[in-house]
Amino acid sequence: MNPISPRILLVRGMLAGLLAGVAAFLVAYVLGESKVDAAIAIEEAAAAGHDHGEESAPVSRALQATAGLGTGTLLYGIALGGIAALVFCYALGRIGRFSPRATALLVSGGLFVTLNLVPFLKYPSNPPAVGDPDTVVRRTTLFILMIALSALLSAGALILGRRLAPRLGNWNASVIASLGFVAVVAIAYASLPGINEVPADFPAALIWQFRLTTLAVQAAMWTTFGLAFGFLAERSIAPAPAPQEAVQPVS
């Protein structure tokens, strides 16, 4: 295959991340904004009985749901696209004889599980009106800690699988490493404190719809990135054409 610098793949990864950010924005806007509006309405209704005076929001809700949401998801997609491209550079050829497209999809799926799914199952996202403002620092710290633990455990499982592969074969080594990852994550789930600050009168259906929507946003982002970056990477790392021998003219 043609040699290619990590910088070129980084640029392509950020471009794929931009496309992934667009997909995430569309899913968040279509599926998520109605859930956010419903949660805000519940919060405002609960605060209506308290006389705190009228406070105007510095940014309108319409601007938050369009320009604010779009800017956030696009920047988030570009940043994650660059990180994923660097992971792809390391993984290509080291996790098996996969094509660039297959490697991109594997990297994308692995990062989705590591950075989103595993932390989500322990500390799922909450809509507005859910959560004590006094514990926001604690909740944020625990969530970031869960992401860091998941990333470290994922890297450890990858190293374990590579070391076991020569003796046990790729399949058996992958199964053992995956089971070890799940076991240690389960221990982390049991060790870290839980958080349950959902008000008793908050609609259960709304909170789970919101949580599933946030997971769908991340799934849409990583799926789009895997497909787009796999296409761009494969075109960049295409096999070099064999040089043609010059044909001598017949005299």
Side-chain angles (χ1 to χ4, degrees), residues 7 11 19 32 70-71 115 164 179 185 191 207 225 235 248-249:
R7 188 180 68 85
V11 173
L19 298 176
T71 301
L115 301 180
L164 293 178
L179 291 177
V185 166
S191 302
I207 192 169
F225 173 81
R235 289 176 62 89
Q248 296 295 333

Side-chain angles (χ1 to χ4, degrees), residues 69 96-97 113 138 152 197 222:
L69 178 64
R97 297 181 178 179
V113 171
R138 176 175 177 268
L152 290 174
E197 298 179 352
W222 285 115

Side-chain angles (χ1 to χ4, degrees), residues 112-124 143 146-147 150 189:
F112 167 71
V113 171
T114 300
L115 301 180
N116 299 120
L117 183 59
V118 171
F120 173 86
L121 293 177
K122 176 62 178 177
Y123 300 117
F143 184 70
M146 192 67 243
I147 294 177
S150 179
Y189 280 179

Side-chain angles (χ1 to χ4, degrees), residues 48-61:
H50 302 279
D51 185 18
H52 294 299
E54 296 248 351
E55 290 186 7
S56 58
V59 180
S60 68
R61 174 72 189 118

Side-chain angles (χ1 to χ4, degrees), residues 48-154:
H50 302 279
D51 185 18
H52 294 299
E54 296 248 351
E55 290 186 7
S56 58
V59 180
S60 68
R61 174 72 189 118
L63 189 61
Q64 292 176 3
T66 52
L69 178 64
T71 301
T73 52
L74 291 181
L75 293 177
Y76 181 68
I78 292 172
L80 287 186
I83 295 172
L86 297 178
V87 176
F88 172 87
C89 292
Y90 173 81
L92 185 63
R94 290 185 173 92
I95 59 174
R97 297 181 178 179
F98 298 105
S99 67
R101 284 197 183 194
T103 303
L105 288 174
L106 288 173
V107 168
S108 181
L111 289 176
F112 167 71
V113 171
T114 300
L115 301 180
N116 299 120
L117 183 59
V118 171
F120 173 86
L121 293 177
K122 176 62 178 177
Y123 300 117
S125 55
N126 289 321
V130 174
D132 184 357
D134 295 334
T135 64
V136 62
V137 175
R138 176 175 177 268
R139 286 184 282 121
T140 303
T141 302
L142 288 172
F143 184 70
I144 294 175
L145 176 61
M146 192 67 243
I147 294 177
L149 281 174
S150 179
L152 290 174
L153 293 175
S154 178

Side-chain angles (χ1 to χ4, degrees), residues 11-27:
V11 173
R12 282 158 174 72
M14 295 174 70
L15 176 59
L18 177 64
L19 298 176
V22 173
F25 167 74
L26 293 176
V27 174

